Amino acid sequence: MTNFPLTIESNAFLGGWIEDLPSKQIISTNLGAEIYLKSHRCSKLVFNWPSHVLGKQPSRILFSIDGGPFVSQSLDSDYFQLDLDAACDHLIRIMTQAITFVRAESWSLAEIFTLKGIQYDGSLVGAVPDRAELVFIGDSIINGQKTLAGVVDGSAHRPDKSWDFLISEKLQLNNDRIAYGGSGLTQRAKICPPTAIDFIWYVALNLPRPIDHQAKIAAVIVNLGSNDAAASEQEFTFSLKVLLRELTKRFHDSKIIFVEPFNGNFAAVFRKVIPNNDRVTLISNHDWHFQRTDAVHLSVAGHEQAAKVLLPLIEDCLHA
């Protein structure tokens, strides 16, 4: 068995991954981060990927083989194995699904995804598609959290069925999520820290988010504000202006598209603060009523509805 390199340079890791070189492992605090692998004459892949949620519900990942549906895998032991037909080449996609069902302590690095090894027979290469990225900045809705009604463990989270992922797949662009459940623009959001102003620059407390200056970014799409209802209009206005300034610094010349909150929070503020020009665009909420599993989260059908509505609007922004 051969060890696969757990490095960004391997071209296997897409999204919010961080190399932990001293420990020879790779970690993520983000749901929906992906791994792309292409196998040749492999009969099995063995992952050393222990649950980092001790004494609670185990963390989970999703995997897809050769374009098939994503399947949920519970990380309830230190190792799991994917068996393959060695007579064929295979494309394996893996996606981080859930650290916990409720609030995760990822900002303090207490609860994170930690991949410690991939072993294989045959040959294995990284296979992240060579295409531009859509960077999505948001909260639990971007992450596809709580999309399955009545499910009270991490399998309720389906980042593979979120509206942003559906749009990325339709446009054949890589999906890069920078999103944390319960977060918002202000300190009044339901989970603090971080605010978006923190997490566009940091991946965890005092840990800067790596910036890939070579990445081709088709657009940065922001969907935040659903969790900020407790903030005053003045607080939200100030935070939105700061976020817009920081996004233009962080992503330089990339197009920035704001999508108003699906629950309609602070619509008037968005329409006052966000300009519509060649660089920055606002997609307004025109009385959207996407299906939900609770007061905030979209169901699978709701994500499909959102993707159908937003896809042509985002395409117009990309081609403007």
Side-chain angles (χ1 to χ4, degrees), residues 190-201:
K190 296 178 182 179
I191 179 170
C192 299
T195 66
I197 296 162
D198 298 319
F199 66 64
I200 64 171
W201 292 108

Side-chain angles (χ1 to χ4, degrees), residues 24 28 59 64 71 135 145 166 169 179 195 202 248 264 291 299:
K24 297 182 180 179
S28 182
S59 45
S64 165
V71 176
V135 178
Q145 291 177 246
L166 297 177
E169 293 289 279
T195 66
Y202 289 86
T248 56
Q291 292 183 32
S299 65

Side-chain angles (χ1 to χ4, degrees), residues 233 237 240-241 260 266-275 282:
E233 185 172 309
T237 300
L240 183 57
K241 289 179 177 179
E260 285 183 5
F266 298 105
V269 175
F270 277 98
R271 295 171 196 186
K272 180 180 179 180
V273 171
I274 303 302
L282 175 66

Side-chain angles (χ1 to χ4, degrees), residues 59 68 107 110 139:
S59 45
W107 200 243
D139 50 33

Side-chain angles (χ1 to χ4, degrees), residues 11 14-15 34 36 93 127-136 164-165 168-169 171-177 216-219:
N11 194 42
L14 171 65
E34 290 191 75
Y36 281 79
R93 293 179 70 177
V128 172
D130 182 16
R131 57 192 187 186
E133 294 182 357
L134 283 178
V135 178
F136 287 89
D164 56 287
F165 186 73
S168 299
E169 293 289 279
L171 295 176
Q172 296 186 318
L173 296 170
N174 289 341
N175 179 288
D176 184 359
R177 291 175 240 230
K216 298 174 289 184
I217 298 176

Side-chain angles (χ1 to χ4, degrees), residues 23-43:
S23 300
K24 297 182 180 179
Q25 61 190 18
I26 194 163
I27 66 175
S28 182
T29 61
N30 277 115
L31 274 61
E34 290 191 75
I35 304 172
Y36 281 79
L37 299 166
K38 189 170 183 179
S39 71
H40 176 66
R41 295 183 178 176
C42 281
S43 65

